[in-house]
Amino acid sequence: MTTAQLVEQIKKKQSFLCIGLDVDLNKIPEHLLKEEDPIFAFNKAIIDATHHLCVAYKPNTAFYEAYGLKGWQALEKTINYLNSEYPEIFTIADAKRGDIGNTSTMYAKAFFDDLAFDSVTVAPYMGKDSVEPFLAFENKHTIMLGLTSNKGAFDFQTKMVEGKELYKQVLETSKTWVNSENLMYVVGATKAEFLADIRKIIPESFLLVPGVGAQGGNLQDVCKYGMNDSVGLLINSSRGIIYASNGEDYAGEAAKKAQELQTEMAEILSA
Amino acid sequence: MTTAQLVEQIKKKQSFLCIGLDVDLNKIPEHLLKEEDPIFAFNKAIIDATHHLCVAYKPNTAFYEAYGLKGWQALEKTINYLNSEYPEIFTIADAKRGDIGNTSTMYAKAFFDDLAFDSVTVAPYMGKDSVEPFLAFENKHTIMLGLTSNKGAFDFQTKMVEGKELYKQVLETSKTWVNSENLMYVVGATKAEFLADIRKIIPESFLLVPGVGAQGGNLQDVCKYGMNDSVGLLINSSRGIIYASNGEDYAGEAAKKAQELQTEMAEILSA
């Protein structure tokens, strides 16, 4: 998917919501555990109930890998379902991969070719030659960790490196990489005020913003500091939406939570 | 597996060799492609031919994920084979994972519980709360990226942060984390002279050293600067061993290459 197609979808749906599909078998409604594939059954119902309210889904690979082969199968069924039933949706494999060149190419093949995701999240610690292999894929997007939403972000990311914070060095350096136009960035919502500075470095790029809701981030603040002319934001909510209820009404309740966010987003877009 | 058991195995085998199982279907002998599971068939033959010469195997997850479900299945069969046939072997899932707390717990479950690896590699960019969930598993080892062997290591890892290189900050900070005794570190062999400094920070820890062979690192130098009283080194070689031949003699040729390294290691250990 091209960035232009993503922006078009945002305008059409008046939403820049991304729903995180972090499926934990201990948290989904108990009646689903009788299904042959409880994870996929859960995802399918959530997707069917919310696809008109969001522009992206983001399965976090950890939650699938934890269930071994069955988990990987559920991930495959989920992305195939999205690509066949809702091809307009932007799909994110939240995998936070990154390794030396030939290995990153294998990860890129896994998520872009084999699973056919539109994008994948990557970690920057290993530098240019660990990220550029992902950037080489046309119309695919590499979402690199910039400033994350967890407490540990302050361990290294905000440390001063040659006069500026490490995460700013990471953002600036990444702009010099080949095919850097295929980069998006993860920036946590819990640090909304940092977004103004970030926008000075990467004014055009899309930002994937986790941490709204369960982690305490505020949507209004994120938009105030982070929005650009093409919106440029994907706001992720996972637990706040998918675990709105653990009864039989879970999909409907998830849709209500997604609707609340979409309504707030539509208001912001029309302001 | 405990660290003491690993050290015991090193002394018994007079080897601290780790063999990287980075299986690429384009590089394995063509006759194996007729097998039902060519990746596992390749791994099994390599393992059977080399297990007495090495103390660890390290499948890199990227190479399995790239083949989707079949790849994940081959990974599962490989670790199960190792655990049942050669339980004395130390197993490393080279996955370079890392995410916010609850997600890292899921990754830890995937590799420590579901797949039953002894260890997993992780990336440090997200800080303490992204690594500590891995450290909570008893008799499991978390191998964190310190200084990697690729060119991109110089993009961020060697940048000065508060008077010392980022990778040194990472090593020092990690020592303060809960259960830090379960940490090992990745340190690239292509920068052997850095090992003396690294040993000042983490004198006791095991180091996983990639980059000997194909990436140009030198075994003698690594041992000179990096070895401690308990050896404290796992030297990884992947392509140099497993792709020694792509004919029907591949396993035997791999064993010869492994034997060369083991012989060199035995000499170093007895010196």
Side-chain angles (χ1 to χ4, degrees):
Chain A
M1 184 181 297
T2 65
T3 308
Q5 287 171 315
L6 172 60
V7 174
E8 197 185 336
Q9 194 197 168
I10 289 173
K11 289 186 177 160
K12 195 171 145 196
K13 289 181 174 170
Q14 290 288 292
S15 170
F16 40 100
L17 177 62
C18 171
I19 297 181
L21 299 172
D22 303 355
V23 186
D24 184 334
L25 290 180
N26 294 317
K27 289 187 183 164
I28 68 173
E30 220 179 301
H31 72 279
L32 289 177
L33 300 178
K34 286 173 255 159
E35 300 275 338
E36 197 198 320
D37 185 340
I39 299 175
F40 177 66
F42 179 82
N43 282 347
K44 183 177 177 301
I46 294 281
I47 291 165
D48 287 340
T50 59
H51 67 93
H52 56 296
L53 302 166
C54 68
V55 294
Y57 288 100
K58 181 178 75 64
N60 188 312
T61 54
F63 288 79
Y64 300 84
E65 293 176 23
Y67 300 110
L69 261 186
K70 283 191 174 178
W72 200 264
Q73 200 156 26
L75 178 64
E76 197 172 275
K77 281 158 82 176
T78 301
I79 181 66
N80 289 346
Y81 186 72
L82 281 167
N83 282 336
S84 68
E85 299 302 309
Y86 307 106
E88 77 283 5
I89 293 277
F90 185 73
T91 55
I92 303 169
D94 194 2
K96 302 196 172 68
R97 300 299 199 260
D99 207 316
I100 57 170
N102 68 324
T103 307
S104 274
T105 299
M106 294 305 263
Y107 278 129
K109 283 185 185 172
F111 293 106
F112 293 153
D113 286 346
D114 184 68
L115 292 171
F117 275 93
D118 292 313
S119 66
V120 63
T121 57
V122 305
Y125 189 72
M126 294 180 70
K128 171 175 166 156
D129 54 354
S130 72
V131 180
E132 279 188 348
F134 290 96
L135 300 177
F137 286 68
E138 210 176 348
N139 292 332
K140 298 288 184 179
H141 306 266
T142 303
I143 311 179
M144 196 170 73
L145 298 181
L147 182 63
T148 58
S149 59
N150 63 321
K151 214 174 142 193
F154 296 105
D155 285 335
F156 310 119
Q157 296 167 28
T158 55
K159 288 276 188 279
M160 297 304 279
V161 178
E162 294 174 2
K164 67 184 64 157
E165 294 89 343
L166 174 62
Y167 76 92
K168 290 185 185 168
Q169 291 283 4
V170 167
L171 300 179
E172 283 192 358
T173 304
S174 71
K175 289 169 68 179
T176 67
W177 296 345
V178 177
N179 297 314
S180 62
E181 67 278 8
N182 292 335
L183 277 169
M184 299 181 173
Y185 299 90
V186 174
V187 179
T190 44
K191 304 170 188 73
E193 67 280 18
F194 288 61
L195 279 163
D197 277 356
I198 288 170
R199 274 299 181 208
K200 287 181 197 154
I201 304 172
I202 41 167
E204 310 284 340
S205 307
F206 256 86
L207 308 180
L208 171 64
V209 185
V212 168
Q215 293 174 56
N218 177 294
L219 179 61
Q220 300 287 341
D221 283 350
V222 170
C223 294
K224 179 177 163 191
Y225 296 110
M227 197 171 271
N228 66 17
D229 290 346
S230 311
V231 184
L233 294 173
L234 290 171
I235 305 287
N236 184 73
S237 177
S238 303
R239 288 166 279 173
I241 291 178
I242 67 173
Y243 299 131
S245 158
N246 67 354
E248 299 211 354
D249 60 346
Y250 70 101
E253 290 303 305
K256 279 185 202 164
K257 289 288 176 190
Q259 178 76 70
E260 282 172 24
L261 281 165
Q262 186 273 326
T263 303
E264 204 177 340
M265 288 175 178
E267 280 165 15
I268 291 169
L269 288 174
S270 64
Chain B
M1 184 181 295
T2 64
T3 307
Q5 287 170 315
L6 173 60
V7 175
E8 198 185 335
Q9 194 197 167
I10 289 172
K11 290 186 177 161
K12 195 172 145 195
K13 289 181 174 170
Q14 290 288 293
S15 169
F16 41 100
L17 177 62
C18 172
I19 297 180
L21 300 172
D22 303 356
V23 186
D24 184 334
L25 289 180
N26 294 317
K27 289 187 184 164
I28 68 174
E30 221 181 300
H31 72 279
L32 288 177
L33 299 178
K34 286 173 256 161
E35 300 275 338
E36 197 198 322
D37 186 341
I39 299 176
F40 177 66
F42 179 81
N43 282 347
K44 182 176 176 303
I46 294 281
I47 292 165
D48 287 341
T50 59
H51 66 93
H52 56 296
L53 302 166
C54 69
V55 293
Y57 288 99
K58 180 177 75 64
N60 187 312
T61 55
F63 288 78
Y64 300 84
E65 293 176 23
Y67 300 110
L69 262 186
K70 284 192 174 177
W72 199 266
Q73 200 156 24
L75 178 64
E76 199 172 274
K77 280 157 82 174
T78 301
I79 181 67
N80 289 347
Y81 186 73
L82 282 167
N83 282 336
S84 69
E85 299 302 310
Y86 307 106
E88 78 283 5
I89 292 278
F90 186 73
T91 55
I92 304 169
D94 194 2
K96 302 195 172 67
R97 300 299 199 261
D99 207 317
I100 57 172
N102 67 324
T103 307
S104 274
T105 299
M106 295 304 262
Y107 278 129
K109 282 184 184 169
F111 293 106
F112 293 153
D113 286 346
D114 184 68
L115 291 172
F117 275 93
D118 292 313
S119 67
V120 64
T121 58
V122 304
Y125 190 72
M126 295 180 70
K128 171 175 165 154
D129 54 353
S130 72
V131 179
E132 279 188 349
F134 290 96
L135 300 178
F137 286 69
E138 209 176 349
N139 291 334
K140 299 287 184 178
H141 307 265
T142 303
I143 311 179
M144 196 169 74
L145 298 181
L147 182 63
T148 58
S149 59
N150 63 322
K151 214 174 141 190
F154 296 105
D155 285 336
F156 309 119
Q157 295 167 27
T158 55
K159 288 275 189 278
M160 297 303 280
V161 178
E162 295 174 0
K164 66 184 66 154
E165 294 89 342
L166 174 62
Y167 76 91
K168 289 185 186 169
Q169 291 283 3
V170 167
L171 299 179
E172 283 192 357
T173 304
S174 71
K175 290 169 68 180
T176 66
W177 296 344
V178 177
N179 298 315
S180 62
E181 68 279 8
N182 292 335
L183 277 169
M184 298 179 174
Y185 299 89
V186 174
V187 179
T190 45
K191 303 170 189 73
E193 68 278 18
F194 289 61
L195 278 164
D197 277 357
I198 288 170
R199 275 298 181 210
K200 287 181 198 154
I201 305 172
I202 41 167
E204 310 285 337
S205 307
F206 256 87
L207 308 180
L208 171 63
V209 185
V212 167
Q215 293 174 58
N218 177 295
L219 178 62
Q220 300 287 341
D221 283 350
V222 170
C223 294
K224 179 177 163 190
Y225 296 111
M227 196 170 272
N228 66 17
D229 290 346
S230 311
V231 184
L233 293 173
L234 290 170
I235 305 289
N236 184 72
S237 177
S238 303
R239 288 166 279 175
I241 292 177
I242 67 173
Y243 299 132
S245 157
N246 68 353
E248 299 212 353
D249 60 346
Y250 69 102
E253 291 303 305
K256 279 186 203 164
K257 289 287 176 190
Q259 178 75 70
E260 282 172 24
L261 281 165
Q262 186 273 326
T263 303
E264 204 178 339
M265 287 174 179
E267 280 165 16
I268 292 168
L269 289 174
S270 64

